[in-house]
Amino acid sequence: MRESITKDWEKYERGKEYNNRLRPNYYNVVNSNLAFYSGDQWINMPQNNSMSRLPKPVFNIIKRIVTVFVASLTSNSTSISFEPLAYAGLDGAETATLLNAEVANLFEKFKMDFRIREALFNGAVEGDYCA
């Protein structure tokens, strides 16, 4: 058990090293994207005397675009459907029906519609996601 935790920690650290080597830095980009989405669009501007005197208008159209984008992609439920293939000795239609029912149960159990919506939202705001 301890060895598994150590290996997982090493993978995590290697992933962080990779993200820090990216140019521009992955974590800085995600933080900037989150700030921009929440309305702080002036976060990375230089803070010198001339910039501090300028008005900083905010017209946050990004939030509306992301909301409409995610809503349009998730307006219908997501599903996986199996269709029978012709294999000797197997009843393909019955197998496909069982598989479709099982996948529908798993999608409901794991709340996949919510998870897909959340993944699309996070991907749109942060710039990437992983499943």
Side-chain angles (χ1 to χ4, degrees):
M1 177 72 174
R2 178 81 174 134
E3 184 177 313
S4 173
I5 293 172
T6 304
K7 287 181 181 180
D8 291 340
W9 186 259
E10 288 172 1
K11 288 179 184 177
Y12 171 72
E13 288 296 326
R14 282 199 312 263
K16 281 181 29 180
E17 284 176 29
Y18 174 79
N19 289 339
N20 283 318
R21 282 195 316 260
L22 294 174
R23 295 294 173 246
N25 182 285
Y26 172 79
Y27 299 110
N28 292 342
V29 169
V30 169
N31 290 338
S32 295
N33 291 350
L34 289 169
F36 196 87
Y37 176 81
S38 65
D40 190 4
Q41 290 137 356
W42 297 93
I43 192 169
N44 289 326
M45 295 302 293
Q47 298 301 320
N48 55 30
N49 287 338
S50 59
M51 286 300 293
S52 64
R53 290 191 307 257
L54 292 174
K56 295 174 178 68
V58 173
F59 182 65
N60 197 355
I61 193 169
I62 298 297
K63 190 176 278 191
R64 301 293 172 237
I65 291 171
V66 168
T67 304
V68 169
F69 171 74
V70 171
S72 68
L73 289 176
T74 59
S75 60
N76 296 324
S77 296
T78 305
S79 65
I80 297 175
S81 296
F82 295 94
E83 294 184 17
L85 298 174
Y87 288 111
L90 294 175
D91 182 10
E94 185 177 319
T95 304
T97 302
L98 287 172
L99 288 172
N100 287 331
E102 188 62 29
V103 167
N105 287 337
L106 290 173
F107 265 55
E108 186 175 329
K109 178 181 179 180
F110 295 122
K111 298 176 178 39
M112 288 302 291
D113 286 334
F114 171 76
R115 291 178 188 268
I116 290 169
R117 189 177 307 114
E118 186 178 41
L120 288 171
F121 178 78
N122 288 341
V125 173
E126 295 175 11
D128 71 343
Y129 51 85
C130 179

